């Protein structure tokens, strides 16, 4: 076979050692039933005869303050397009085919649909990449194969093409996370948007002289979703190669870029699930971008971040 | 105080604050918006000058960077921070030579153009400029890709 990468990347590159492995390509053991241990929650529930959507729309252990924030939510508070609850329900019902991440909210309460649909009508991508639709296997595929859950063309998704900019590859750090049900997602967004640290950016016009995007704001998960808020968060992380996460990320890039014949001789990048416990003491990250009319800032994404592994568990 | 604390506390006097903060705000993968960064750099305001100065200083002496700060800020896929910072300079300031040189990229391009690269995956420094991910290609097609990339970055230099 030969080839450039085998010949010139030396043994000091941990990623290279995996590429030269004689193991066949591991084609996603977590997705192949009956591997119960690694199968996604969604697949397990489906196999057990449960309706994933029904279950996720009935999570009801959020604190009263979070539920109140959902009920009080007004799109304009987050500089999102105006939308009534009735319009939100119709939007989810009518666009669920083309925007499948909305389907998790199909049977949710109107006030939850109001938040989810409003977020989806903004310029950000929190709903399609960090809500229940993405939880489980889609998160895993994002981390190990740069597959953008928002990319609906399966061929482009498999090639790692980004949904928002299909001419570019999709970006993913060494973790991908989501809030795994629409009620908690809506609560996090509604409570976060009303939070003083975020209103400091959302609650004022953007000055034309403001030529720097504001820094992201992090708010403790417990503050937005209650003391058991971590139970609503999940994700996957890329595993380091010989303790080196940079080598693992470089290897992932090369794995995705490889031609099918070469990829067959490589090992799929390894990941592991991030446990609920790791989200205890973690944060919800809110990042900003300019609105379409450039007059204000809006939340471009929102996602849960596990506790820093170097910090003690609370 | 760590670079993370400096970032959270907006300690603008901290070493490489503007470099780290800008990468974190614009190029961390979950918030990635390279085009917005390019637009905002056009403002040529004080922070853009500091950002570029610190970017240049980091390339000329990477040992001065806080350990792990650039990866924390940008979570790059390049394998090491110098390779990432060189690529970023190349993309942000086309036509301006990379401070400290860009030998690895030029050598990878030379190998691609000469036909030494037989198939994907491409050398890491070149992957970002590959527009046909994961698809089988002939050596001639990869050579053509190499020539396009060379002409994009070195329009005034002959092909190697």
């Amino acid at each position: 076979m030969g080839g450039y990468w085998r010949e010139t990347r030396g043994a000091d590159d941990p990623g290279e050692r995996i590429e030269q492995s004689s193991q066949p390509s591991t084609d996603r053991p977590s997705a192949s039933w009956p591997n119960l241990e690694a199968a996604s929650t969604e697949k397990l529930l489906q196999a057990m005869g449960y309706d994933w959507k029904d279950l996720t729309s009935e999570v009801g252990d959020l604190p009263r303050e979070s539920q109140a924030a959902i009920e009080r939510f007004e799109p304009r508070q987050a500089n999102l397009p105006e939308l009534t609850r009735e319009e939100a329900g119709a939007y989810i019902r009518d666009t669920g085919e083309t925007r499948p991440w909305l389907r998790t909210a199909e049977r949710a309460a109107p006030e939850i649909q109001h938040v989810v649909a409003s977020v989806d009508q903004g310029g950000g991508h929190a709903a399609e990449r960090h809500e229940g639709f993405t939880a489980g296997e889609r998160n895993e595929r994002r981390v190990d194969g740069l597959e953008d859950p928002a990319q609906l063309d399966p061929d482009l998704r498999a090639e790692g093409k980004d949904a928002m900019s299909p001419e570019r590859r999709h970006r993913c750090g060494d973790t991908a996370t989501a809030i795994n049900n629409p009620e908690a997602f809506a609560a996090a967004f509604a409570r976060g948007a009303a939070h003083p640290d975020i209103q400091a950016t959302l609650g004022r016009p953007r000055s034309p002289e403001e030529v720097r995007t504001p820094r992201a704001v992090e708010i403790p998960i417990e503050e937005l979703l209650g003391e058991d808020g971590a139970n609503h968060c999940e994700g996957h992380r890329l595993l380091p190669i010989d303790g080196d996460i940079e080598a693992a990320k470089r290897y992932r890039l090369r794995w995705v870029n490889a031609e099918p014949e070469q990829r067959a001789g490589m090992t799929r990048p390894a990941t592991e699930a991030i446990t609920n416990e790791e989200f205890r003491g973690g944060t919800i990250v809110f990042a900003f971008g300019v609105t379409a009319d450039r007059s204000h800032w809006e939340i471009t994404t929102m996602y849960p971040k596990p506790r820093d592994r170097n910090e003690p568990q609370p | 105080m760590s670079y993370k604390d400096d970032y959270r506390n907006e300690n603008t006097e901290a070493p490489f604050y503007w470099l780290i903060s800008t990468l974190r705000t614009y190029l961390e993968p979950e918030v990635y918006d390279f085009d917005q960064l390019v637009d905002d750099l056009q403002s040529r305001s004080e922070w853009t000058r500091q950002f570029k100065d610190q970017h240049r200083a980091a390339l000329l002496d990477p040992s001065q960077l806080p350990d792990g700060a650039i990866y924390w800020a940008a979570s790059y896929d390049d394998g090491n921070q110098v390779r990432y910072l060189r690529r970023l300079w190349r993309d942000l300031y086309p036509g301006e030579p990379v401070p400290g040189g860009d030998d690895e990229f030029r050598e990878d391009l030379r190998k691609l153009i000469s036909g030494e690269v037989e198939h994907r995956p491409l050398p890491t420094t070149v992957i970002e400029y590959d527009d046909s991910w994961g698809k089988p290609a002939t050596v001639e097609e990869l050579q053509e890709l190499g020539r396009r990339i060379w002409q994009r970055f070195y329009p005034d230099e002959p092909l190697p």
Side-chain angles (χ1 to χ4, degrees):
Chain A
M1 263 197 346
Y4 174 80
W5 52 274
R6 285 180 188 276
E7 294 163 4
T8 61
R9 299 301 183 203
D12 59 342
D13 180 349
E16 187 68 3
R17 288 196 285 280
I18 282 201
E19 288 181 42
Q20 291 173 338
S21 163
S22 58
Q23 281 184 273
S25 176
T26 52
D27 193 17
R28 189 168 309 288
S30 64
S32 53
W33 187 262
N35 184 348
L36 294 178
E37 189 175 66
S40 72
T41 307
E42 182 175 359
K43 282 194 174 298
L44 282 172
L45 290 170
Q46 286 170 348
M48 293 161 71
Y50 292 113
D51 184 327
W52 166 258
K53 291 175 202 163
D54 281 351
L55 287 171
T56 56
S57 62
E58 290 176 5
V59 176
D61 60 348
L62 292 169
R64 186 175 302 167
E65 295 84 351
S66 299
Q67 297 186 21
I70 294 173
E71 290 177 12
R72 282 196 304 268
F73 176 76
E74 292 290 342
R76 79 170 76 88
Q77 191 175 28
N79 300 323
L80 294 168
E82 285 297 334
L83 189 72
T84 66
R85 287 185 184 175
E86 292 72 27
E87 289 168 337
Y91 176 74
I92 287 174
R93 188 174 60 247
D94 296 343
T95 59
E97 285 300 311
T98 53
R99 302 180 74 76
W101 45 87
L102 294 173
R103 287 188 202 150
T104 57
E106 269 176 356
R107 297 180 210 184
E111 59 270 26
I112 294 170
Q113 292 184 332
H114 190 214
V115 179
V116 173
S118 297
V119 172
D120 193 58
Q121 293 205 340
H125 58 259
E128 50 264 60
R129 292 200 182 127
H130 301 289
E131 200 271 328
F133 170 77
T134 305
E137 184 177 344
R138 289 192 179 92
N139 249 336
E140 187 180 7
R141 296 187 81 97
R142 185 168 179 233
V143 173
D144 71 12
L146 297 179
E147 294 189 19
D148 183 0
Q151 174 56 264
L152 300 180
D153 182 316
D155 292 333
L156 295 181
R157 188 167 61 242
E159 290 172 17
K161 295 283 173 59
D162 193 85
M164 318 302 166
S165 309
E167 74 283 1
R168 290 182 176 164
R169 76 173 169 86
H170 180 56
R171 311 269 160 179
C172 182
D174 47 43
T175 62
T177 63
I179 297 174
N180 61 16
N181 64 84
E183 185 178 33
F185 178 86
F189 191 91
R191 247 185 131 173
H195 193 283
D197 290 353
I198 291 178
Q199 275 300 307
T201 296
L202 297 186
R204 59 175 174 79
R206 171 181 171 269
S207 159
E209 287 77 43
E210 198 173 0
V211 288
R212 182 173 165 78
T213 300
R215 297 176 316 142
V217 171
E218 296 186 29
I219 299 175
I221 292 170
E222 283 75 6
E223 193 174 332
L224 298 180
L225 299 177
E227 62 181 24
D228 292 326
N231 293 341
H232 300 285
C233 304
E234 64 174 79
H236 282 79
R237 69 164 57 85
L238 189 68
L239 291 176
I241 295 174
D242 292 343
D244 186 344
I245 191 62
E246 293 187 31
K249 287 203 72 198
R250 176 170 171 258
Y251 176 74
R252 179 184 67 180
L253 182 72
R254 295 169 60 72
W255 189 86
V256 178
N257 184 250
E259 297 173 16
E261 189 178 326
Q262 273 64 45
R263 196 184 278 191
M266 299 166 71
T267 304
R268 192 176 183 97
T271 64
E272 68 178 6
I274 303 172
T275 65
N276 290 139
E277 280 306 309
E278 294 177 84
F279 284 101
R280 294 193 191 286
T283 57
I284 306 278
V285 181
F286 296 82
F288 304 104
V290 70
T291 54
D293 65 4
R294 307 192 72 76
S295 67
H296 289 77
W297 299 102
E298 66 178 323
I299 294 168
T300 53
T301 194
M302 173 192 82
Y303 60 95
K305 196 177 92 173
R307 178 182 71 252
D308 189 327
R309 284 182 144 183
N310 297 321
E311 293 174 8
Q313 187 171 348
Chain B
M1 201 180 271
S2 77
Y3 58 84
K4 294 181 188 177
D5 293 326
D6 289 330
Y7 170 78
R8 290 188 194 107
N9 298 329
E10 293 190 75
N11 180 11
T12 59
E13 300 303 312
F16 296 101
Y17 171 83
W18 290 104
L19 177 62
I20 295 165
S21 168
T22 300
L23 298 183
R24 182 81 174 177
T25 298
Y26 289 89
L27 300 182
E28 196 278 333
E30 293 295 354
V31 301
Y32 188 86
D33 196 343
F34 181 81
D35 295 339
Q36 188 65 53
L37 174 58
V38 170
D39 283 352
D40 288 354
L41 288 177
Q42 298 303 316
S43 67
R44 302 187 187 282
S45 50
E46 177 60 16
W47 76 268
T48 68
R49 187 188 63 75
Q50 298 229 34
F51 168 71
K52 189 171 184 179
D53 286 350
Q54 292 180 5
H55 192 174
R56 182 185 294 107
L59 283 165
L60 292 174
D61 188 359
S63 70
Q64 298 301 310
L65 285 163
D67 278 353
I70 301 299
Y71 182 77
W72 176 79
S75 193
Y76 49 76
D77 292 339
D78 303 66
N80 67 59
Q81 62 182 13
V82 173
R83 198 181 284 142
Y84 168 72
L85 290 170
R86 284 177 181 156
R87 174 168 64 82
L88 183 61
W89 184 281
R90 212 182 291 135
D91 294 346
L92 286 177
Y93 313 112
E96 292 188 42
V98 175
D102 205 7
D103 290 349
E104 184 185 19
F105 178 60
R106 293 172 70 98
E107 175 62 8
D108 283 345
L109 273 182
R110 186 198 65 74
K111 287 178 174 164
L112 195 60
I113 292 167
S114 69
E116 292 174 50
V117 181
E118 297 171 5
H119 49 68
R120 295 183 175 91
L122 302 180
T124 306
T125 65
V126 179
I127 284 184
E128 285 287 345
Y129 309 113
D130 184 8
D131 49 13
S132 298
W133 278 65
K135 292 185 175 157
T138 63
V139 172
E140 290 73 24
E141 288 169 330
L142 295 179
Q143 287 179 286
E144 174 55 28
L145 172 65
R147 285 192 287 270
R148 284 202 307 272
I149 299 170
W150 181 276
Q151 284 159 353
R152 172 179 165 187
F153 289 104
Y154 308 113
D156 300 328
E157 292 187 37
L159 291 166

